Amino acid sequence: MIADALHGRRLLVTGATGFLGTALVERLLRSVPGCELVLLVRAGRRSTPQRRVQREVLRNDAFDRLRADLGDRFDEEAARRITVIAGDVGMDGLGLDDAGRAALASCDVAIHAAAAVAFDSPLDRAVEVNLLGPTRVAEALRSAGSTAHLVSVSTCYVAGNRRGRAGEVAVFDTPFGPKPSWRDEVAAARRARADTEAESRTPPLLARFAKEARAELGAAGIPLLASRAERFRETWVAHTMVEAGRARARALGWPDAYAYTKALGEQALCETRGDLPVTLVRPSIIESALAEPRPGWIRGFRMAEPVIITYARGLLKEFPGIPEGVVDVIPVDLVVAAVIDAAARGPKPTPAPAIVQVASGSANPLRYRHLVDMVHDWFSQHPLYDAKGQPIVVPRWSFPGRGRVQHQLQRAVRAIDLAEKALGALPLRGSQARWAADLEERRAEASRALDYVELYGAYAETEAVFAVDELLARWSTLDATDQASFGYDPGVVDWDHYVTQVHLPSVVEHARVRVTPGSRTGPSRSQRLRDRVLAPERHLAAFDLENTLVASNVVDSYSWLATRRLPPDERLRFALRTLAEAPALLALDRQDRGDFLRHFYRRFEGAPVAQLEEDATQLLSHLLLTKSFPAGIRRVRQHRRLGHRTVLITGALDVVVERNLAPLFDDIVCARMSPQASRGDRGGPRWNGELTGAPPTGEARAQAMADYAEAEGLRLEEAVAYADSASDLPMLEAVGFPVAVNPEIRLAAVARKRGWLVEQWSKSPGGPRPLLPIGPVTQRTSFARRPAATAAVAERGRDR
């Protein structure tokens, strides 16, 4: 019996935190009570291997059945039977310490299930893990003095893009196809990584990444732009390595880098294993459980699930495939049983390793058209529902060629990109910015569908039929008890029942999609986010001013102050001159907010201090209040009632905001301007148009908020920030609860991606709506009429 054969044995398991590995650990603990496990687990960024096993493995719902059986003894039993060691199959020597090597030496069987399973892994990552991983495990066992039987999990798709029967033979034991050297492929992949990294640092590409960062974030400040540009560089490197893997795999006859590196991994293991006994287990596409640990159990989304959910949401109108072809899927519990059986049997008494394929296509085929029809009919009877509570009608696929579907989706992505660029050039914000955010969501959906076609289309068009002669021969030797406890005969799967009663319900449950009609009950997502923002435990609420609390900006304030004392004809000329300057001012603002403010505030040079202070007082009632957002003012007061510290952080001048808005906030951080040195001017001191320090914009605004929080003993993770522009991203990203208010296009897109609260605040209805922000006429002289100041501003404009 299988359980008896493994009684008292110690089994090394790699890949325990993955889908197959978790199911394997659970089954061994539950069905082979006499064995002990050594789990080789890579440390996380902030987590030890032991903590990862507790959180990612033992707390998984796969163990619910075993927890119910053992009750309070579960933790004790797991601690007694499981030893966790730190290691990484992507490193030479597995990165083991002395304790890890000692644990390896004590193992009787090693099950290597770790893999980079993504079909779009970067080439070098797939090579290090899939190609070299099995060889590293074998070498580590030999170095530790172990003669353990190594059961290495591979994939049926090492057969490549062949047609017809694919037997249980070594990858290159066929008269067809190339026979690359795995050593040459490893060296080439590592060179490709080094070359790609070097290319990504060349001046043309660095300039491109910086341009892309600015196009996405605008004037967000140099540190954030540099960080985003570096992310663009890293993404470019990863994408280039993914494409390198795809290109090399397809050139050699494999559908992707996963199958290609798995095939070469088998070759490398067979060449380097020495006397170490080896069995290769090749599953086909592993899907949710048929019965163990419970029907439909799955961990994460595999290959088919993203395609199924995207189709059910009505977003995948077509998908390639051969309707009469076979989709070779196998439930995970059948694969687990076959692996445990291989471990219990021991190695085959032959020079070459035993090869066991765990597949369904030859013994119990599931035709592609039948699968698609079942999925269509099931979602027609059990539809998903859109945001309005309406059922989503799923399309009928016509099985076009992969190239045709790819071209259609590529054209759609390009068209949406052009539309996004056109919208991005417009000064849209608030509800209008949703157009761009909606467009970006459409592009993401089209890009996702294109990725699925490129990644999985080849598997829907495969014409290989995987033989399972060795699997069925082993099955026939099991007694009735083992066949009942460790079933792996693919012929027992009733595909209609499995797909419609087991797999699809499980996929929908795990996808967390909407399955009920009508309006949603309970608070909306925005209300839930708002409740968190206004929770009593928040510490600090930081507010931007312009377009966040008032529909105004520094140009409006200056125009009002400058024209307040101009005669009507001069006011008209001023308005026309300002309108003519608008495009240049907008461009400078988008380039660098701090430079824009310095440039603009120089227009105050020579303005009488007393006159500006007097006029600024009138500015509150004539401009700021009429353009204020009542909901924003209420929000400030709500925070103060809750005991939160409130601070206004704005690039507006102190003479404007401190006189008018100080009662609303606990503190104000703003731009400050100093008066000129006294020269005996009549009328008292005058402003020099120069700021006393860096204006609080971009990263300076975030730093000002951080300094304020530190001085007041407040924690930024419990702080809230309100702003309207991508230039405010440093401040928004610094807090635990960012809120985008009437966001412009770039910020609207970022807020949607990151799930931030978005508020749409508007002015009070019925108030005055002047076409231009110009002040009422008075009889006194305006500082805007001073020729010297006007000439100086014009000269500086030419310099820029």
Side-chain angles (χ1 to χ4, degrees):
M1 293 177 63
I2 292 175
D4 292 339
L6 293 175
H7 184 81
R9 313 291 290 275
R10 282 173 65 87
L11 288 79
L12 171 72
V13 178
T14 70
T17 58
F19 175 42
L20 177 62
T22 297
L24 183 61
V25 170
E26 189 277 337
R27 195 73 170 278
L28 286 167
L29 290 178
R30 179 166 51 84
S31 300
V32 189
C35 74
E36 294 182 1
L37 305 181
V38 176
L39 307 184
L40 185 141
V41 177
R42 185 179 70 251
R45 289 183 179 179
R46 300 179 181 178
S47 184
T48 64
Q50 290 77 9
R51 193 170 182 83
R52 286 192 66 196
V53 169
Q54 285 294 328
R55 288 186 172 182
E56 301 176 34
V57 181
L58 297 179
R59 291 184 187 176
N60 188 276
D61 60 355
F63 291 84
D64 289 351
R65 180 174 172 182
L66 185 58
R67 283 183 179 276
D69 292 343
L70 295 176
D72 294 339
R73 295 187 298 110
F74 176 84
D75 291 336
E76 177 186 346
E77 187 71 5
R80 182 182 68 82
R81 295 180 59 191
I82 294 176
T83 300
V84 181
I85 60 175
D88 185 350
V89 300
M91 297 174 58
D92 290 336
L94 303 183
L96 294 172
D97 56 17
D98 290 341
R101 283 186 284 272
L104 226 65
S106 68
C107 291
D108 306 292
V109 178
I111 301 174
H112 174 52
V117 297
F119 294 164
D120 59 346
S121 291
L123 172 60
D124 58 320
R125 170 68 178 166
V127 163
E128 295 296 337
V129 176
N130 296 340
L131 196 163
L132 293 174
T135 299
R136 288 182 174 129
V137 173
E139 174 60 30
L141 289 169
R142 287 199 305 273
S143 297
S146 173
T147 58
H149 170 211
L150 174 59
V151 179
S152 183
V153 180
S154 183
T155 175
C156 285
Y157 290 92
V158 297
N161 292 324
R162 71 180 64 182
R163 296 174 177 175
R165 188 177 188 277
E168 295 163 296
V169 297
V171 175
F172 299 108
D173 283 357
T174 61
F176 311 108
K179 295 178 173 56
S181 162
W182 65 269
R183 290 184 175 86
D184 291 345
E185 296 300 307
V186 170
R190 289 172 173 171
R191 280 198 308 273
R193 164 62 73 168
D195 292 346
T196 302
E197 288 282 357
E199 184 181 358
S200 74
R201 290 171 168 81
T202 58
L205 281 178
L206 291 176
R208 170 185 154 184
F209 303 142
K211 183 178 179 181
E212 290 173 347
R214 185 167 289 280
E216 179 176 308
L217 301 180
I222 292 175
L224 189 61
L225 288 171
S227 176
R228 189 69 182 117
E230 176 62 12
R231 290 220 304 269
F232 274 124
R233 188 195 69 80
E234 293 170 351
T235 300
W236 181 87
V237 169
H239 177 75
T240 302
M241 293 304 297
V242 168
E243 290 302 315
R246 287 178 181 172
R248 184 57 178 159
R250 290 168 184 171
L252 294 174
W254 282 281
D256 49 48
Y258 173 71
Y260 149 71
T261 52
K262 277 290 193 178
L264 292 175
E266 286 190 13
Q267 181 194 46
L269 177 60
C270 292
E271 286 185 13
T272 61
R273 68 185 178 95
D275 296 331
L276 195 73
V278 171
T279 297
L280 297 173
V281 177
R282 295 175 179 165
S284 56
I285 300 170
I286 306 176
E287 291 295 347
S288 65
L290 178 65
E292 303 278 352
R294 61 174 174 79
W297 177 81
I298 195 169
R299 175 169 186 166
F301 270 13
R302 318 314 306 163
M303 186 187 94
E305 288 74 38
V307 177
I308 289 172
I309 289 299
T310 304
Y311 168 77
R313 293 177 61 203
L315 304 176
L316 203 56
K317 306 301 183 183
E318 287 287 4
F319 201 78
I322 302 172
E324 65 273 21
V326 173
V327 181
D328 204 313
V329 298
I330 194 79
V332 63
D333 44 341
L334 274 64
V335 180
V336 165
V339 169
I340 295 175
D341 177 58
R345 287 176 185 271
K348 198 173 183 178
T350 59
I355 298 175
V356 183
Q357 295 189 158
V358 191
S360 61
S362 59
N364 183 16
L366 171 60
R367 302 293 174 184
Y368 186 47
R369 179 183 290 279
H370 184 43
L371 172 61
V372 170
D373 287 345
M374 283 191 289
V375 173
H376 174 274
D377 294 346
W378 195 86
F379 280 110
S380 295
Q381 297 173 19
H382 310 87
L384 303 187
Y385 292 84
D386 62 20
K388 297 179 180 179
Q390 298 300 308
I392 298 172
V393 178
V394 290
R396 281 276 187 192
W397 286 350
S398 60
F399 306 104
R402 186 156 35 120
R404 177 183 163 192
V405 178
Q406 283 178 304
H407 291 322
Q408 290 174 345
L409 291 171
Q410 286 166 351
R411 285 197 299 271
V413 171
R414 285 195 295 268
I416 295 172
D417 282 339
L418 290 174
E420 276 191 311
K421 289 179 181 178
L423 276 181
L426 301 176
L428 305 179
R429 66 171 53 251
S431 59
Q432 295 173 330
R434 292 179 185 173
W435 302 341
D438 291 341
L439 203 58
E440 182 170 357
E441 186 171 337
R442 296 286 185 272
R443 182 177 61 80
E445 291 169 353
S447 297
R448 194 179 305 120
L450 179 60
D451 287 342
Y452 293 157
V453 171
E454 292 176 343
L455 288 175
Y456 308 134
Y459 290 86
E461 294 178 336
T462 187
E463 296 183 76
V465 179
F466 305 118
V468 289
D469 300 341
E470 178 68 19
L471 181 79
L472 295 180
R474 292 180 174 218
W475 172 255
S476 66
T477 65
L478 296 182
D479 60 25
T481 301
D482 278 343
Q483 287 190 350
S485 300
F486 298 94
Y488 55 78
D489 177 11
V492 305
V493 182
D494 177 342
W495 291 118
D496 287 46
H497 172 80
Y498 173 76
V499 171
T500 62
Q501 303 300 313
V502 176
H503 187 63
L504 291 178
S506 177
V507 169
V508 170
E509 176 187 356
H510 285 81
R512 297 179 180 178
V513 288
R514 188 171 182 181
V515 295
T516 55
S519 302
R520 291 184 182 272
T521 58
S524 66
R525 181 178 176 278
S526 292
Q527 186 56 54
R528 292 195 301 272
L529 290 172
R530 199 171 291 119
D531 290 343
R532 295 178 65 194
V533 162
L534 292 171
E537 57 266 27
R538 302 290 87 81
H539 291 178
L540 169 68
F543 289 84
D544 181 27
L545 176 63
E546 297 157 353
N547 293 309
T548 301
L549 295 176
V550 296
S552 179
N553 53 48
V554 297
V555 178
D556 288 348
S557 298
Y558 171 79
S559 299
W560 192 94
L561 293 168
T563 59
R564 175 169 165 75
R565 303 173 188 276
L566 287 178
D569 59 331
E570 286 290 337
R571 289 156 62 88
L572 178 60
R573 280 193 288 273
F574 178 92
L576 293 174
R577 189 167 60 245
T578 303
L579 289 174
E581 286 185 288
L585 293 175
L586 181 61
L588 182 59
D589 187 32
R590 287 181 170 179
Q591 183 70 20
D592 189 290
R593 179 71 173 170
D595 286 349
F596 164 76
L597 291 178
R598 289 189 185 91
H599 166 68
F600 197 82
Y601 285 154
R602 285 173 189 163
R603 300 178 181 221
F604 286 97
E605 181 182 353
V609 171
Q611 176 183 317
L612 198 60
E613 289 177 346
E614 177 186 340
D615 290 348
T617 303
Q618 300 298 318
L619 178 72
L620 174 65
S621 58
H622 284 86
L623 181 70
L624 297 184
L625 288 182
T626 62
K627 290 198 169 190
S628 67
F629 301 138
I633 305 302
R634 285 196 298 270
R635 182 63 55 84
V636 178
R637 290 171 174 164
Q638 281 180 290
H639 280 290
R640 295 196 75 173
R641 280 199 302 269
L642 289 166
H644 306 160
R645 296 284 294 188
T646 58
V647 58
L648 176 67
I649 306 180
T650 175
L653 284 173
D654 53 347
V655 68
V656 172
V657 295
E658 286 189 336
R659 284 178 166 268
N660 296 317
L661 300 178
L664 193 59
F665 297 93
D666 291 307
D667 290 287
I668 293 177
V669 178
C670 59
R672 299 185 180 278
M673 193 166 57
S674 58
Q676 295 173 341
S678 176
R679 294 178 297 182
D681 290 342
R682 287 182 301 172
R686 298 178 181 275
W687 296 108
N688 66 5
E690 296 178 2
L691 299 181
T692 59
T697 63
E699 69 279 6
R701 182 169 294 186
Q703 187 61 54
M705 181 180 62
D707 293 343
Y708 180 85
E710 183 178 3
E712 299 293 331
L714 307 174
R715 292 187 294 126
L716 288 181
E717 57 266 29
E718 291 294 342
V720 186
Y722 296 82
D724 71 294
S725 170
S727 64
D728 300 311
L729 274 172
M731 181 174 76
L732 292 169
E733 291 181 335
V735 300
F737 301 90
V739 182
V741 179
N742 303 335
E744 46 83 37
I745 284 179
R746 294 187 182 99
L747 182 59
V750 172
R752 174 171 287 196
K753 284 181 182 177
R754 302 186 186 179
W756 293 351
L757 175 62
V758 176
E759 298 283 18
Q760 304 292 346
W761 293 341
S762 59
K763 296 181 289 186
S764 293
R769 295 290 190 271
L771 291 177
L772 296 172
I774 52 180
V777 179
T778 69
Q779 300 303 313
R780 297 176 62 181
T781 303
S782 168
F783 66 83
R785 296 183 63 188
R786 292 177 56 84
T790 304
V793 169
E795 183 64 32
R796 281 191 292 272
R798 284 194 293 273
D799 290 343
R800 287 183 179 273

